[in-house]
Amino acid sequence: ELKVEQNPLFLSMQEGKNYTIYCNYSTTSDRLYWYRQDPGKSLESLFVLLSNGAVKQEGRLMASLDTKARLSTLHITAAVHDLSATYFCAVVIIQGAQKLVFGQGTRLTINP
Amino acid sequence: KAGVTQTPRYLIKTRGQQVTLSCSPISGHRSVSWYQQTPGQGLQFLFEYFSETQRNKGNFPGRFSGRQFSNSRSEMNVSTLELGDSALYLCASSLDILAGGYNEQFFGPGTRLTVL
């Protein structure tokens, strides 16, 4: 059974600092999503990573995928308060139909 | 283009009752998936429907069921509600134009179910 593990689960950081969230998964998959969720809200798609070595950047966020290591990272550069949210990675499993297996989520708090 | 819509947005029920949640996918999307989100278990896959057929099912008891209509709208039903069914239920739709291929899922706002 596929397991997806994120770390850290909780992260409190100061504005202006850099940090990385890690997402490890246990079974071969070459497709991975990163989502953002604000309290009480739905999931907002941030990045879709489709192949080994994929790197995508949007503003202060950058995501990468290493399918051989079964590892994805979400790097935050010069954090700002607006990035405070819970971030999930999700690995795509295709068994007749695709489904997403989510990590536990990383609750990120950025302090002014 | 309108996004995924879910109704109702909030629901309060008591133990033993049953509940039906509705999801309307993005126009043209034929695949609808349901996920349950709880603080303890996180986000878990419930089931996926395509062309009115359930193609994939997660590890949930038979009290959880669903269906999809010819217009791709989907409903999920939970019978004999338990306190542990309190959760945010999220619906996601995708095009599913390639069998076995990649199809991004777009999530609706969710239905917050509280069981008392």
Side-chain angles (χ1 to χ4, degrees):
Chain A
E1 182 184 334
L2 173 65
K3 291 190 187 305
V4 182
E5 294 187 347
Q6 286 181 236
N7 75 83
L9 299 184
F10 299 92
L11 179 56
S12 181
M13 53 194 290
Q14 296 288 323
E15 278 191 329
K17 299 291 187 184
N18 304 331
Y19 210 82
T20 300
I21 299 170
Y22 297 89
C23 173
N24 288 89
Y25 54 98
S26 61
T27 295
T28 300
S29 175
D30 58 2
R31 296 159 188 167
L32 187 142
Y33 294 78
W34 282 96
Y35 290 94
R36 168 182 172 146
Q37 187 177 41
D38 292 297
K41 305 291 186 181
S42 186
L43 297 171
E44 174 192 353
S45 177
L46 294 173
F47 300 108
V48 180
L49 303 169
L50 295 178
S51 61
N52 186 42
V55 177
K56 290 199 173 177
Q57 182 163 5
E58 181 74 33
R60 300 176 189 275
L61 300 177
M62 183 174 72
S64 66
L65 178 62
D66 181 344
T67 58
K68 293 178 182 175
R70 297 177 187 169
L71 171 68
S72 180
T73 61
L74 179 67
H75 187 73
I76 303 147
T77 301
V80 293
H81 180 68
D82 285 352
L83 291 178
S84 296
T86 299
Y87 293 85
F88 292 92
C89 63
V91 176
V92 177
I93 295 296
I94 298 177
Q95 296 170 335
Q98 70 169 7
K99 71 174 185 180
L100 296 173
V101 179
F102 286 86
Q104 311 96 308
T106 297
R107 184 176 296 179
L108 174 62
T109 303
I110 298 170
N111 305 303
Chain B
K1 201 173 193 181
V4 179
T5 59
Q6 292 186 245
T7 57
R9 294 292 311 279
Y10 302 91
L11 205 49
I12 299 176
K13 292 285 188 179
T14 57
R15 280 180 297 174
Q17 288 187 308
Q18 75 167 28
V19 67
T20 299
L21 312 181
S22 181
C23 171
S24 292
I26 292 171
S27 178
H29 285 193
R30 298 170 65 192
S31 168
V32 174
S33 298
W34 288 89
Y35 295 85
Q36 181 198 62
Q37 185 176 27
T38 60
Q41 299 299 316
L43 278 151
Q44 294 185 286
F45 172 78
L46 278 156
F47 27 64
E48 188 262 357
Y49 286 88
F50 176 80
S51 290
E52 303 177 64
T53 300
Q54 186 184 90
R55 296 193 301 185
N56 210 345
K57 184 170 169 35
N59 190 23
F60 279 82
R63 301 185 295 108
F64 292 81
S65 62
R67 59 178 176 168
Q68 186 181 34
F69 301 94
S70 57
N71 61 358
S72 295
R73 190 177 69 86
S74 177
E75 289 180 347
M76 68 162 281
N77 184 276
V78 189
S79 63
T80 320
L81 284 165
E82 301 177 358
L83 295 179
D85 297 333
S86 294
L88 179 67
Y89 290 88
L90 293 167
C91 161
S93 75
S94 69
L95 275 171
D96 200 69
I97 56 175
L98 289 174
Y102 148 72
N103 299 279
E104 184 173 3
Q105 296 187 24
F106 297 85
F107 283 83
T111 294
R112 173 77 60 184
L113 171 65
T114 302
V115 182
L116 303 176

